[in-house]
């Protein structure tokens, strides 16, 4: 959900027509040699003393974390209305989600080895600042203990607009904003046709990603009835900007078709004069005609469209790359495995074709049924043809392993990227997601005390 905080350049060229928006997306096409991997992950900060969430300000706080990283490790500050709300360095950024979730948006990197090193380095830096302050971070898909009222609110202008609008369009939007964490990977495409095939495969397989990484079974100190409550939250957040996008599988899908979809998604905001202007519920199509109520007569710049794209939250999102968005956050090793899984499938043409052959005959209703079922059934979810999500997991992991092996990217110790799939292989073999194992411990050695998760899942 990261959005640039610098203001729109009011002297920049205005968008002349819809074709420019499609060309903007098409400019993301690049040859395979230039494809990169961008990994993003979120985590909950808490005070070890009492397991309370981190406030924005104070001795042990989100602000103290940002200032420590800035001063000790050379991150450049991102400031909004005089408040430090993020950091950037060498193509990566640290940003804040609405409830103080700490997010690393990694730099575009060539290999999973580099991605895993980047995540590891970030967590080491975070620990170095956090430990003296009595702070730790939690790798889960949903906050397991705090109520919504107990969760702090970060001082970012867009979040106030979003909060107020969320209540009008769904029951769980604020839960999404303040009480969930995800892991995402951003991947490239070579052409419009390549984008469409990757988009379709990735969308069809997002329920599998949910099942493999399900890691949010607790809420307010007890089991919530789901393996991925984060996934449940997204089903009742805002139907205009979420979901499985059936049109992606229809004839005529391409950059222009996605632009048409994006233009029909209601707006959140426009940035002008260093502030976020409330445009919630308004039409970007009207903006294109100079008829936006809050900026009458003004046409949008391309940065306005880029902002608008960042407020659309389907299970896979198209910008100038594709974002995989269907999975819960987890421990360090799962962050590496997540990117490895999707890179193995989508960056190997033979593997991509194999995955497409497996999912191409599924209907929109079948894809949606899997999305609805997987949040509770996990790897036991039935899939078309009489198999289960567990069977599909083993098939797709075999393909991903071929894809990673074919890349032949070796670490300093001579290992290729397939080793990052080991934990997913165990999950698929056992049929037990991280959430299943957490629930086993909750009803077993934890004696139904969810506070143990703050030790066992801490970074």
């Amino acid at each position: 959900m990261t959005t640039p905080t610098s203001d729109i350049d009011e002297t920049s060229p205005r968008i002349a027509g819809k074709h420019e928006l499609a060309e903007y997306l098409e400019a993301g096409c690049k040859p395979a040699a230039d494809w990169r991997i961008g990994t993003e992950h979120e985590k909950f900060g808490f005070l070890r003393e009492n397991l309370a969430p981190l406030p924005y300000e104070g001795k042990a706080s989100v602000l103290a974390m940002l200032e420590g990283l800035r001063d000790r490790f050379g991150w450049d500050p991102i400031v909004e209305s005089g408040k430090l709300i993020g950091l950037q360095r060498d193509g990566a950024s640290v940003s804040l989600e609405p409830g103080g979730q700490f997010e690393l948006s990694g730099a575009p990197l060539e290999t999973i080895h580099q991605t895993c090193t980047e995540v590891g380095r970030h967590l080491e830096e975070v620990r170095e600042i956090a430990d003296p302050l009595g702070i730790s971070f939690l790798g889960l898909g949903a906050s397991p203990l705090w109520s919504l009222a107990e969760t702090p609110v970060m001082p970012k202008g867009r979040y106030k607009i979003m909060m107020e609008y969320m209540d009008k369009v769904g029951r769980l939007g604020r839960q999404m904003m303040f009480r969930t964490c995800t892991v995402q990977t951003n991947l490239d495409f070579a052409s419009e046709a390549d984008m469409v095939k990757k988009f379709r495969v990735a969308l069809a397989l997002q329920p599998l990603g949910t099942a493999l990484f399900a890691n949010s079974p607790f809420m307010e100190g007890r089991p919530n009835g789901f393996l991925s409550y984060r996934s449940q939250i997204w089903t009742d957040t805002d139907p205009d900007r979420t979901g499985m996008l059936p049109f992606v599988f229809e004839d005529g899908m391409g950059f222009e078709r996605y632009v048409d979809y994006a233009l029909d998604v209601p707006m959140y905001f426009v940035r002008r004069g260093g502030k976020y202007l409330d445009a919630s519920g308004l039409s970007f199509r009207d903006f294109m005609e100079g008829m936006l109520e809050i900026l009458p007569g003004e046409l949008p710049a391309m940065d306005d469209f880029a902002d608008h794209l960042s407020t659309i939250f389907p299970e896979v999102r198209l910008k100038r790359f594709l974002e995989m968005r269907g999975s819960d956050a987890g421990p360090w090793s799962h962050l590496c495995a997540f990117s490895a899984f999707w890179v193995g499938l989508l960056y190997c043409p033979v593997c991509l074709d194999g995955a497409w052959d497996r999912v191409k005959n599924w209907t929109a209703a079948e894809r949606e049924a899997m999305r609805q079922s997987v949040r509770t059934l996990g790897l036991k979810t039935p899939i078309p043809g009489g198999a289960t999500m567990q069977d599909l997991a083993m098939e797709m992991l075999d393909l991903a392993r071929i894809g990673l092996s074919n890349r032949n990217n070796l670490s300093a110790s001579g290992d290729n990227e397939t080793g990052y799939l080991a934990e997913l292989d165990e999950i698929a073999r056992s049929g037990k997601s991280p959430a299943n194992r957490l629930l086993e411990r909750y009803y077993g050695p934890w004696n139904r005390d969810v506070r143990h998760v703050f030790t066992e899942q801490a970074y």
Side-chain angles (χ1 to χ4, degrees):
M1 289 166 55
T2 303
T3 294
T5 55
S6 59
D7 200 25
I8 299 292
D9 182 356
E10 297 188 21
T11 66
S12 63
R14 285 347 199 198
I15 298 168
K18 189 173 69 172
H19 67 281
E20 290 187 4
L21 306 182
E23 290 167 0
Y24 170 83
L25 295 176
E26 188 174 21
C29 295
K30 50 178 64 77
D34 294 335
W35 291 351
R36 296 294 182 265
I37 307 158
T39 302
E40 305 180 20
H41 82 275
E42 302 161 358
K43 48 201 171 291
F44 297 104
F46 66 94
L47 302 173
R48 289 197 294 269
E49 180 182 38
N50 57 8
L51 305 184
L54 293 188
Y56 174 71
E57 294 179 300
K59 181 179 179 181
S61 64
V62 168
L63 180 58
M65 288 298 308
L66 291 174
E67 290 175 337
L69 291 170
R70 176 197 64 192
D71 297 342
R72 192 171 307 178
F73 297 109
W75 289 83
D76 296 322
I78 301 172
V79 176
E80 180 184 310
S81 300
K83 299 282 190 180
L84 181 62
I85 50 90
L87 305 165
Q88 53 192 1
R89 184 186 70 191
D90 299 332
S93 65
V94 174
S95 58
L96 304 179
E97 292 300 295
Q101 303 97 311
F102 228 61
E103 178 179 7
L104 173 70
S105 297
L109 301 172
E110 293 185 48
T111 73
I112 305 298
H113 306 303
Q114 293 169 345
T115 289
C116 212
T117 297
E118 176 190 53
V119 173
R121 178 188 179 191
H122 167 71
L123 294 178
E124 287 174 3
E125 290 183 358
V126 165
R127 280 192 294 269
E128 188 167 331
I129 303 302
D131 282 347
L133 298 174
I135 293 171
S136 288
F137 285 84
L138 185 65
L140 279 181
S143 61
L145 193 59
W146 317 309
S147 68
L148 192 58
E150 292 170 327
T151 304
V153 180
M154 296 298 104
K156 295 178 70 171
R158 70 182 303 216
Y159 294 154
K160 182 178 186 298
I161 295 170
M162 290 175 63
M163 280 192 294
E164 294 174 355
Y165 184 71
M166 288 288 185
D167 292 338
K168 302 174 184 177
V169 293
R171 295 184 305 115
L172 300 177
R174 291 198 183 208
Q175 305 285 348
M176 178 277 291
M177 292 178 65
F178 291 94
R179 304 176 78 184
T180 65
C181 283
T182 187
V183 56
Q184 298 174 198
T185 192
N186 304 325
L187 300 179
D188 291 315
F189 42 79
S191 63
E192 184 172 56
D194 186 46
M195 178 278 291
V196 170
K197 181 175 283 190
K198 286 174 176 172
F199 206 158
R200 289 171 172 170
V201 168
L203 264 177
L205 292 178
Q206 285 308 301
L208 175 58
T210 301
L212 284 170
F213 294 91
N215 195 33
S216 48
F218 305 121
M219 189 65 70
E220 297 189 19
R222 62 184 66 89
N224 54 38
F226 296 87
L227 298 177
S228 176
Y229 188 64
R230 187 205 58 83
S231 180
Q232 160 67 7
I233 285 171
W234 276 110
T235 65
D236 197 358
T237 292
D238 182 347
D240 290 325
R241 68 186 74 240
T242 62
M244 294 289 282
L245 306 187
F247 72 84
V248 171
F249 297 85
E250 297 172 358
D251 291 344
M253 173 57 190
F255 295 119
E256 186 172 350
R257 180 66 185 87
Y258 192 83
V259 166
D260 283 330
Y261 159 72
L263 292 178
D264 288 330
V265 174
M267 296 176 65
Y268 276 156
F269 58 80
V270 180
R271 290 182 290 132
R272 291 292 186 275
K275 297 184 180 298
Y276 286 88
L277 306 183
D278 188 347
S280 56
L282 301 183
S283 166
F284 206 94
R285 288 188 187 274
D286 287 347
F287 200 3
M288 296 275 290
E289 298 296 326
M291 298 172 59
L292 193 68
E293 293 175 19
I294 61 172
L295 293 172
E298 185 172 333
L299 297 175
M302 196 58 74
D303 282 348
D304 291 312
F305 183 61
D307 278 355
H308 183 56
L309 289 176
S310 78
T311 68
I312 301 172
F313 310 127
E315 294 294 281
V316 176
R317 178 164 65 185
L318 175 63
K319 293 182 178 176
R320 285 178 162 177
F321 44 82
L322 288 167
E323 298 179 355
M324 314 297 117
R325 298 177 47 83
S327 298
D328 292 357
W332 170 79
S333 56
H334 286 193
L335 307 180
C336 306
F338 181 80
S339 289
F341 176 73
W342 289 111
V343 166
L345 283 180
L346 301 187
Y347 275 3
C348 164
V350 173
C351 305
L352 180 63
D353 286 344
W356 176 236
D357 285 342
R358 186 66 179 86
V359 306
K360 66 183 179 183
N361 294 321
W362 294 351
T363 66
E366 288 169 336
R367 292 189 297 269
E368 182 61 26
M370 287 184 282
R371 179 190 180 220
Q372 296 290 337
S373 298
V374 75
R375 59 194 189 225
T376 51
L377 297 179
L379 289 165
K380 294 180 181 178
T381 301
I383 67 172
T388 67
M389 199 66 73
Q390 183 179 9
D391 300 316
L392 181 65
M394 289 188 283
E395 291 179 46
M396 293 301 106
L397 282 165
D398 284 344
L399 281 178
R401 188 173 295 101
I402 292 170
L404 294 174
S405 180
N406 288 347
R407 281 163 56 84
N408 198 33
N409 287 318
L410 303 182
S411 67
S413 57
D415 298 320
N416 68 22
E417 297 167 313
T418 60
Y420 296 106
L421 299 178
E423 290 194 48
L424 298 185
D425 289 333
E426 172 55 24
I427 290 169
R429 184 199 61 77
S430 67
K432 294 180 178 180
S433 68
N436 291 121
R437 298 191 185 280
L438 288 175
L439 289 167
E440 287 177 351
R441 296 201 285 280
Y442 175 82
Y443 289 110
W446 293 2
N447 197 26
R448 303 194 180 203
D449 184 352
V450 79
R451 291 175 296 178
H452 289 280
V453 79
F454 286 88
T455 301
E456 296 199 16
Q457 293 289 118
Y459 287 117

